[in-house]
Amino acid sequence: MKRTIFLIAILLSTLPVHSQKGPDIIPTPVKMQVNEGTFTIDAKTTIQFDKKEKELKEVAAFLTGYIRDISGIELSHNSRTNKRIILKESNDAELAMEGYHLKVTSENILIEAANEKGIFYGIQSLLQTLPAIRTNASLEIPAMEITDHPRFQWRGMMLDVSRHFYSPEAVKQYIDLLATYKFNTFHWHLVDDPGWRIEIKKYPKLTEIGAWRVDHLDKVWSERPPAQEGEEATYGGYYTQEQIKEIVAYAQKRNITIVPEIELPAHSVAALAAYPEYSCTEEPQLVNTGGIYPKGIQSAYCPGKDKTFDFLEDIFLEVLELFPSEYIHIGGDELDKSQWEKCDACQARINEENLANEDGLQSYMVKRIEKFLNAHGRKLIGWDEILEGGLAPGATVMSWRGEAGGIKAAKMGHDVVMTPGSPCYFDHYQAGPEGEPAAIGGMNTLKDVYEYEPIPEELNAEEAKYVLGAQANVWTEYIATLSHLEYMVLPRMLALSEVVWSPAEHRDWEDFNNRLRGWHFRAFDQKGYHYNKGNSKVVITPQSVDGKLLVELESEIVGAEIVYTLDGSRPERDSKKYSKPVEIKESATIKASTLLNGEVLGMVPASQSFEIHKAVGQNVDYKNPVSRYYMADGPNSLTDGVRGTFTVGKYWHGFHATDMAATIDLGTITDINRLSVGILQKRKDWIFPASSVTFEISTDGKTFSRMETVDLPIKRDNKENKILNYTTDKNTTKGRFIRVTAENFGVCPAGHPGEGKPTWLFVDEIVVE
């Protein structure tokens, strides 16, 4: 069946898209023809459908309710009138599983589909031509004809309610947004270290204890200390089983399947605070309060004990009663296996089952849970760590650590959902970050999301069939309110909807922006949603062309201009306008801003410094290799003239748990007056400054003399984000070879979330003057 749908999708994707400007529908339909005339919905309009079809009756009720809410008009059902909205099930194979055909004339509206799902999606397209809230405006719909279907079968959005709890009403609003933009999967992250959010009647302490924590609202998430004995746990909440049943039914009426996530083996602090007997040590503990984990905390279930599996299976039995979804998400990520290394029961299990190591034990646990879920007619899905130690036979992989896990699983013949951190994590910044609400870090702009292609180039046509679709994830460490949640998903959710629904060849960034800023931004304003109106931050891209250092400037704001300066001053509307790449001939700081309708957008201009010095363009040899994750713009990033910014990874070379030792050959013996190297401190991302930097000079590349060792220029407990320059200019000397050694900070200090673990060292330009 999956392959049949795939072939139909390919055939339909060859249909031409819009023949002329039409409604601002998102996601854009496969084919749309706009005609002359309109259909007006009024009190004489009836919805016609087969009364024997329960699903069609429910869809008709949904449409009736919407029209009533925005206009006060109560549509009749199956009345004798010439003004009809016809909902019709069809055997047309072209419509596939979720496709629909919508035809609007001045007399009738016909929505035709293979089932109620397609009809519901046809209604969503129809509603995007009408007001979003109650109005006295005439309900006129342009005459048009649409043939449409989704590109992918998994079109998902995730919401983490463990770190911050959202009311049932807020969850329903989130589901409404998903339905509007034709998503069909709501991944509900119900449990994690900071809170257990689902009532399990057999184990009441999961919510009596596990759903509540001490909350330090005066501190950012990553700096919240562990809970202490005697502190009152006041923050939290959970969903009763009756509330969950109501939310599941609410979602079903909107053609959305809720996939619940019950985390295992790790991210289980809250569960083990309630029932410590299922941990390795069985020691009592408190629910985690934030980013700092106390020493000895048990974050993973003990798979060495059979009673652990009894406990989990009991939980899943109640979960399965509440959620009819085909898939059950078991997490499976970020396991600290050191707990198992010290556990006698876990080591005994490894020996009894002839497992290779703790990776094998993780695989054993996942496979055992999968066997249980399969026996109850369900499928297991988990984060890409479930690949470690061997993938369970029928497991589906959700690839979040980039696409590598998804590619590996697809090549093994396993279904995959792509959800890489870049660009599918909506807890990252989408603009700024200056002036933006708090985010966990990173930058996934609207354009980044819109340009995402879920099928990697590494997969051939046969392997690509295993990519079910894509999903965005919203982790809520820094997102405590509904208004903040709205802001983080809007409008990025709409960009993703077009990625997973519309044919790839029909995507058009400028056209999408025009549609977005039409009906959809007006609808957000009318409904009072908080949303981002666009990333006005200019993207600065240096590049070397024919020996010249050129800088390209780009803005995501369609129709905008760019103004810039080269002296470090703030650009104003009368500053120089960008028209072609800017050549950098001497050290300078370029600052650039977006200019729209005569107004300079953004609080802080984009900025990039350039150092033109004696080592620019020279080769760099490293004693220790650069991390493959942080290669910046290539092996000679330290001599490209481009200074690093606070954007992690951009123009920085990263070294993990090791020093940086770099040697530069200037080509000839040269007078050297000053040496400097830039080092980043961003402790939240585990990036610490060098404890010291040693500068050495040589004329032959063999014998080096130390020029100076420069110590850390700030206190070791300083926590500010900083770009530090380690500099020596004591004496003028001659040399051809320069060696710079930056000593790694060591390990994360006490109180840091990574306490005791190795730090990252990020290095940028080595300046030779």
Side-chain angles (χ1 to χ4, degrees):
M1 176 63 73
K2 178 169 60 182
R3 286 157 177 76
T4 300
I5 295 169
F6 182 80
L7 290 173
I8 292 172
I10 292 175
L11 291 171
L12 286 177
S13 68
T14 62
L15 293 171
V17 76
H18 314 79
S19 60
Q20 65 186 81
K21 173 63 179 163
D24 296 329
I25 295 174
I26 295 178
T28 190
V30 171
K31 181 182 178 182
M32 179 166 68
Q33 171 73 43
V34 180
N35 302 316
E36 294 294 328
T38 59
F39 178 93
T40 303
I41 297 177
D42 56 28
K44 296 179 181 179
T45 305
T46 189
I47 303 178
Q48 185 179 66
F49 58 92
D50 187 343
K51 291 184 288 186
K52 294 181 291 185
E53 298 292 339
K54 177 185 175 184
E55 291 82 5
L56 290 184
K57 184 176 182 180
E58 291 178 349
V59 173
F62 176 88
L63 177 57
T64 302
Y66 186 94
I67 298 301
R68 181 196 312 117
D69 290 344
I70 65 169
S71 67
I73 297 171
E74 187 74 43
L75 298 182
S76 63
H77 290 180
N78 292 311
S79 297
R80 292 183 178 180
T81 175
N82 291 328
K83 298 194 69 176
R84 299 176 298 167
I85 301 174
I86 304 166
L87 311 181
K88 180 182 177 183
E89 290 194 356
S90 167
N91 294 323
D92 187 347
E94 189 181 54
L95 299 179
M97 290 287 289
E98 297 177 286
Y100 66 91
H101 180 70
L102 169 64
K103 186 174 183 180
V104 180
T105 68
S106 58
E107 293 84 21
N108 295 308
I109 296 175
L110 170 66
I111 304 177
E112 191 175 17
N115 51 42
E116 79 285 352
K117 295 179 181 179
I119 289 173
F120 181 83
Y121 293 135
I123 288 174
Q124 293 307 312
S125 292
L126 191 73
L127 298 184
Q128 289 186 23
T129 69
L130 296 174
I133 61 172
R134 195 176 183 96
T135 178
N136 293 323
S138 176
L139 302 185
E140 291 187 350
I141 300 170
M144 58 184 172
E145 189 165 355
I146 293 175
T147 298
D148 201 10
H149 75 282
R151 181 184 177 199
F152 290 105
Q153 67 186 77
W154 187 295
R155 307 181 301 280
M157 289 288 299
M158 182 273 268
L159 178 63
D160 161 29
V161 295
S162 173
R163 288 162 180 83
H164 284 102
F165 179 72
Y166 293 86
S167 69
E169 291 72 26
V171 173
K172 288 179 181 178
Q173 178 181 311
Y174 195 73
I175 289 170
D176 284 336
L177 280 170
L178 269 64
T180 299
Y181 296 104
K182 302 185 177 75
F183 288 92
N184 65 355
T185 304
F186 171 38
H187 173 182
W188 204 359
H189 188 81
L190 285 161
V191 305
D192 209 310
D193 292 339
W196 184 282
R197 305 293 178 215
I198 175 174
E199 178 188 25
I200 302 296
K201 293 186 176 180
K202 188 168 184 177
Y203 298 102
K205 286 192 290 185
L206 285 171
T207 46
E208 291 172 4
I209 295 174
W212 305 93
R213 67 171 185 258
V214 176
D215 210 40
H216 296 273
L217 296 176
D218 58 322
K219 296 179 175 64
V220 298
W221 182 268
S222 60
E223 296 179 3
R224 293 181 183 181
Q228 303 296 321
E229 288 290 344
E231 289 184 299
E232 186 178 3
T234 57
Y235 180 87
Y238 65 92
Y239 307 97
T240 68
Q241 292 198 1
E242 287 306 309
Q243 287 173 326
I244 288 174
K245 289 176 184 177
E246 181 183 340
I247 291 170
V248 168
Y250 187 88
Q252 285 177 322
K253 290 179 180 178
R254 288 152 180 80
N255 194 31
I256 291 172
T257 298
I258 299 181
V259 175
E261 181 176 356
I262 305 297
E263 279 265 26
L264 64 93
H267 287 282
S268 302
V269 170
L272 297 175
Y275 293 95
E277 58 266 37
Y278 302 113
S279 69
C280 289
T281 65
E282 302 193 7
E283 292 291 328
Q285 64 185 33
L286 300 173
V287 178
N288 195 49
T289 61
I292 299 177
Y293 284 65
K295 289 184 178 179
I297 195 167
Q298 295 291 289
S299 60
Y301 295 113
C302 178
K305 305 168 185 174
D306 283 333
K307 67 179 183 180
T308 299
F309 291 94
D310 295 337
F311 173 70
L312 290 169
E313 289 173 6
D314 287 342
I315 290 171
F316 278 117
L317 284 174
E318 294 195 32
V319 170
L320 298 181
E321 283 294 315
L322 296 170
F323 296 95
S325 58
E326 178 183 14
Y327 290 94
I328 303 295
H329 205 299
I330 58 90
D333 64 315
E334 298 181 327
L335 170 63
D336 177 7
K337 299 184 178 78
S338 66
Q339 300 166 72
W340 292 356
E341 293 170 0
K342 303 170 187 175
C343 173
D344 291 341
C346 288
Q347 295 305 308
R349 179 78 75 185
I350 289 173
N351 292 330
E352 291 165 7
E353 300 293 337
N354 295 315
L355 306 174
N357 49 29
E358 286 72 25
D359 284 349
L361 184 57
Q362 179 179 7
S363 179
Y364 165 83
M365 188 173 193
V366 172
K367 288 175 179 177
R368 186 162 167 175
I369 294 297
E370 182 192 43
K371 186 176 180 181
F372 172 82
L373 293 175
N374 291 165
H376 290 81
R378 308 301 180 91
K379 293 181 180 179
L380 179 146
I381 185 170
W383 305 112
D384 53 61
E385 283 95 329
I386 66 174
L387 285 158
E388 297 171 6
L391 191 56
T396 297
V397 171
M398 191 167 275
S399 190
W400 73 278
R401 296 179 300 178
E403 294 181 329
I407 292 168
K408 181 178 179 181
K411 286 181 176 293
M412 294 167 61
H414 284 260
D415 286 341
V416 172
V417 176
M418 288 298 188
T419 177
S422 296
C424 292
Y425 270 37
F426 287 3
D427 54 337
H428 290 191
Y429 288 104
Q430 59 190 315
E434 299 87 357
E436 288 291 293
I440 199 167
M443 179 70 72
N444 289 328
T445 69
L446 180 69
K447 191 174 185 182
D448 292 334
V449 178
Y450 191 75
E451 292 181 344
Y452 178 57
E453 172 48 52
I455 297 181
E457 294 179 356
E458 293 87 340
L459 300 181
N460 62 35
E462 184 64 27
E463 294 162 345
K465 297 174 185 177
Y466 293 102
V467 179
L468 302 181
Q471 171 178 296
N473 298 329
V474 186
W475 303 99
T476 60
E477 286 93 336
Y478 294 82
I479 308 172
T481 65
L482 178 58
S483 61
H484 193 172
L485 174 63
E486 291 169 357
Y487 189 89
M488 300 306 280
V489 301
L490 297 175
R492 287 185 288 190
M493 174 192 287
L494 282 67
L496 183 64
S497 78
E498 200 143 299
V499 169
V500 292
W501 179 280
S502 306
E505 61 271 23
H506 290 170
R507 271 188 266 156
D508 182 298
W509 169 245
E510 187 166 340
D511 177 60
F512 170 75
N513 265 268
N514 291 333
R515 284 179 283 123
L516 179 67
R517 295 171 185 278
W519 187 90
H520 303 276
F521 275 12
R522 288 197 302 272
F524 296 163
D525 289 334
Q526 289 170 355
K527 292 181 178 181
Y529 289 158
H530 295 79
Y531 66 98
N532 181 277
K533 295 185 179 181
N535 177 30
S536 62
K537 195 69 170 282
V538 174
V539 177
I540 301 175
T541 306
Q543 55 184 262
S544 180
V545 179
D546 297 329
K548 298 178 180 179
L549 180 57
L550 301 179
V551 179
E552 289 189 349
L553 305 178
E554 183 182 8
S555 173
E556 288 190 6
I557 304 298
V558 173
E561 296 179 294
I562 296 173
V563 288
Y564 70 94
T565 63
L566 287 171
D567 60 3
S569 63
R570 181 185 178 90
E572 304 294 344
R573 62 182 180 180
D574 56 352
S575 297
K576 189 166 185 177
K577 288 187 172 62
Y578 175 78
S579 60
K580 63 181 181 179
V582 179
E583 184 178 356
I584 304 297
K585 297 180 179 180
E586 58 186 22
S587 296
T589 297
I590 189 169
K591 291 191 175 182
S593 296
T594 298
L595 182 70
L596 184 66
N597 299 326
E599 179 186 359
V600 175
L601 306 182
M603 297 176 59
V604 179
S607 178
Q608 178 68 63
S609 295
F610 300 93
E611 295 264 7
I612 305 302
H613 53 91
K614 293 181 179 180
V616 169
Q618 302 301 327
N619 290 332
V620 182
D621 290 325
Y622 289 109
K623 179 181 178 181
N624 301 317
V626 181
S627 166
R628 63 188 179 91
Y629 299 109
Y630 298 105
M631 293 296 294
D633 56 358
N636 294 329
S637 294
L638 298 192
T639 57
D640 61 2
V642 183
R643 296 305 305 264
T645 68
F646 283 113
T647 302
V648 171
K650 191 173 185 181
Y651 312 128
W652 295 98
H653 270 179
F655 299 84
H656 187 237
T658 189
D659 299 340
M660 187 282 296
T663 302
I664 301 170
D665 182 356
L666 298 178
T668 60
I669 294 177
T670 306
D671 286 337
I672 297 171
N673 301 306
R674 177 177 176 271
L675 296 174
S676 179
V677 63
I679 305 228
L680 178 65
Q681 169 164 280
K682 205 169 185 183
R683 295 193 175 204
K684 185 179 73 172
D685 296 324
W686 297 34
I687 300 168
F688 285 74
S691 294
S692 67
V693 173
T694 299
F695 298 95
E696 298 173 282
I697 304 294
S698 172
T699 56
D700 59 7
K702 298 177 181 178
T703 303
F704 284 83
S705 60
R706 186 169 65 88
M707 193 170 178
E708 187 179 5
T709 295
V710 180
D711 293 327
L712 176 62
I714 57 174
K715 293 183 179 180
R716 285 183 69 88
D717 60 355
N718 184 293
K719 296 179 181 179
E720 297 177 82
N721 290 343
K722 285 181 175 291
I723 296 176
L724 304 169
N725 289 310
Y726 294 68
T727 303
T728 177
D729 55 4
K730 285 195 170 182
N731 297 296
T732 299
T733 187
K734 290 182 180 292
R736 171 177 169 176
F737 298 90
I738 297 164
R739 187 162 65 196
V740 180
T741 304
E743 181 187 0
N744 192 290
F745 191 88
V747 297
C748 298
H752 188 275
E755 180 179 344
K757 295 183 179 178
T759 60
W760 283 90
L761 173 66
F762 271 42
V763 184
D764 80 338
E765 196 76 2
I766 295 177
V767 178
V768 181
E769 296 176 332

